[in-house]
Amino acid sequence: MGFEDPRAIAFYGLIVTEARLRERLEAELEATTGISLSRLELLLHIHFEDGRRRMSDHADALLLSRGGATRLVAKAEEEGLVTREIPADDRRATFAVLTDKGRDAAMRGMPVYNEVVNRLFGELTEEEAALLVRLFNRVLQANDAACTPITLAAAELAEK
């Protein structure tokens, strides 16, 4: 293939692995629960923020443009999974808030997500998975692209 630097093939491998495993996860999640991966990720991000999250935080958390995040929330709102709320004390802020239907969808999708991910990563030992977390965190931080869940997981692993 012409890659002389192992970092180049590692990067290419990361991109291929992410794309192919995401495809499988998306297909199985949709077939089993009727929820798309992007919708589930949105619902889980809101769920783990006590059921409400600032609209401005969605784009970064979901790796989307601001417009993409707004469209995703709008579709979830049309489906009755979230509502938008503007607090009386700060009219500049808008929050996406989970509805009961959204919470149910998140709780229905999460076990399927976890089961598929565990199966797709089943070839890795816990030590190998922990190494990946530490490596991903190192690369992200070195490029000013830190991701809070990965940073927190890497810190927890360092304490073990």
Side-chain angles (χ1 to χ4, degrees):
M1 183 163 213
F3 291 111
E4 293 182 21
D5 185 337
R7 288 174 289 230
I9 193 67
F11 184 76
Y12 178 71
L14 177 66
I15 292 169
V16 170
T17 301
E18 189 276 337
R20 293 196 176 153
L21 295 185
R22 180 177 274 275
E23 237 173 51
R24 284 187 168 174
L25 175 58
E26 176 81 40
E28 195 159 336
L29 190 62
E30 186 80 44
T32 306
T33 66
I35 304 168
S36 71
L37 180 57
S38 59
R39 190 92 71 253
L40 179 62
E41 288 174 336
L42 170 71
L43 297 176
L44 290 175
H45 276 280
I46 298 170
H47 174 74
F48 289 114
E49 290 290 324
D50 295 325
R52 64 193 305 260
R53 188 172 195 160
R54 282 181 87 99
M55 288 291 294
S56 58
D57 294 339
H58 289 294
D60 187 47
L62 298 170
L63 307 175
L64 295 171
S65 67
R66 284 190 184 264
T70 299
R71 284 187 296 278
L72 183 62
V73 171
K75 287 180 182 176
E77 188 174 33
E78 286 172 15
E79 295 171 3
L81 301 171
V82 300
T83 59
R84 290 188 225 199
E85 178 183 285
I86 300 173
D89 62 335
D90 185 0
R91 306 297 297 167
R92 295 168 298 161
T94 302
F95 288 83
V97 181
L98 274 184
T99 63
D100 289 341
K101 183 178 178 182
R103 187 170 290 101
D104 291 346
M107 294 303 96
R108 194 173 67 251
M110 191 170 180
V112 174
Y113 176 94
N114 287 335
E115 189 275 321
V116 174
V117 168
N118 285 334
R119 189 169 9 96
L120 292 173
F121 259 44
E123 290 298 311
L124 296 181
T125 65
E126 285 188 28
E127 293 79 19
E128 290 167 332
L131 176 60
L132 281 177
V133 170
R134 289 192 297 273
L135 291 172
F136 291 153
N137 186 54
R138 187 167 146 198
V139 170
L140 290 169
Q141 288 191 346
N143 288 283
D144 294 321
C147 172
T148 301
I150 294 173
T151 300
L152 292 174
E156 285 178 20
L157 290 167
E159 293 175 4
K160 289 183 178 181

